[in-house]
Amino acid sequence: MISHKSPWEKIAYFNPDFRTEQAQTGATAMGRLPRKRTLFFDTIINKVDAKGRVSIPADYRSLLEQQETELVAFRSFSSPCIECCTSEMMERIAGDIDRSFDTFSEQQDDLTSLIYADAKEFPFDSTGRIVLTEKLLRHAGITDKAAFVGKGKTFQIWNPDAYAQEEEKIRRRALEKRLSIKSSGGEHD
């Protein structure tokens, strides 16, 4: 009888090239590739140091690295927080603004000023930190802690206490309005 020390050895016994394939593709013991994440999930609180440095949550950082994109941040114009997204999302937003408003209209000018004139790319250092500007920290009321709030294709950075209050309001509104999602019927859009 053959003794197997791990599930990988069982697979390697039947397919000697599996370990090499697994290392190259990231396949799991069941032969599936790990699912590629494309959305920002969860609410994570990290410390902010005196210089405004904060660690991007590992899952968020991994998603940005996987998409080979830069993190872009700007002051929210609807909440006391920092809006964050990928460079590609900023390009999509620009296209949406162009399609929604006449060029040089007051609405187009206001939105582009609020978003693009305020936006900045934030590369992270070797330890996964970014340095938030004083303007961003002040707008969000962030001092020693920051809450990273996943919003699907984007995320926000909040003062944790302010977000706790905002989340309470959001949940109350959702309960009152009985929010629901219309299903597209397909697996993906």
Side-chain angles (χ1 to χ4, degrees):
M1 177 171 218
I2 298 173
S3 168
H4 300 291
K5 296 178 184 169
S6 76
W8 301 114
E9 290 186 22
K10 289 179 187 177
I11 292 169
Y13 177 76
F14 294 108
N15 179 0
D17 296 326
F18 177 76
R19 283 197 180 119
T20 305
E21 291 171 16
Q22 190 273 336
Q24 292 171 348
T25 66
T28 65
M30 299 303 292
R32 294 184 301 247
L33 291 176
R35 186 168 176 199
K36 187 176 177 181
R37 283 197 31 220
T38 59
L39 302 173
F40 295 101
F41 296 139
D42 208 355
T43 298
I44 300 150
I45 297 175
N46 283 345
K47 291 181 181 179
V48 179
D49 73 12
K51 295 180 181 178
R53 293 179 298 207
V54 62
S55 291
I56 299 292
D59 287 352
Y60 290 23
R61 198 169 56 244
S62 173
L63 185 62
L64 292 164
E65 288 171 344
Q66 170 187 302
Q67 294 182 8
E68 298 178 352
T69 187
E70 293 293 324
L71 168 64
V72 179
F74 57 95
R75 292 177 293 172
S76 173
F77 54 88
S78 59
S79 298
C81 67
I82 303 164
E83 300 285 352
C84 300
C85 63
T86 65
S87 302
E88 290 76 13
M89 178 60 82
M90 289 296 277
E91 289 178 24
R92 277 184 257 158
I93 292 169
D96 290 345
I97 292 171
D98 289 346
R99 285 185 296 281
S100 300
F101 302 103
D102 292 331
T103 303
F104 304 118
S105 69
E106 185 176 26
Q107 296 96 333
Q108 190 261 4
D109 193 46
D110 288 350
L111 275 175
T112 55
S113 293
L114 286 168
I115 297 171
Y116 294 97
D118 200 52
K120 181 176 178 356
E121 284 189 339
F122 287 89
F124 36 87
D125 66 16
S126 61
T127 63
R129 296 180 305 180
I130 60 171
V131 180
L132 295 170
T133 64
E134 182 59 37
K135 179 169 64 170
L136 290 174
L137 292 168
R138 193 172 42 253
H139 173 75
I142 293 171
T143 53
D144 61 337
K145 292 181 185 170
F148 290 79
V149 180
K151 304 287 256 179
K153 293 187 183 277
T154 66
F155 66 92
Q156 297 172 327
I157 305 174
W158 285 76
N159 169 302
D161 295 330
Y163 183 69
Q165 292 174 358
E166 183 69 14
E167 182 183 27
E168 200 174 293
K169 288 184 215 171
I170 292 167
R171 291 189 177 280
R172 191 171 37 251
R173 279 195 312 262
L175 184 60
E176 289 168 3
K177 295 179 181 182
R178 308 274 303 162
L179 295 180
S180 63
I181 300 169
K182 185 175 181 177
S183 174
S184 65
E187 188 175 331
H188 300 286
D189 281 348

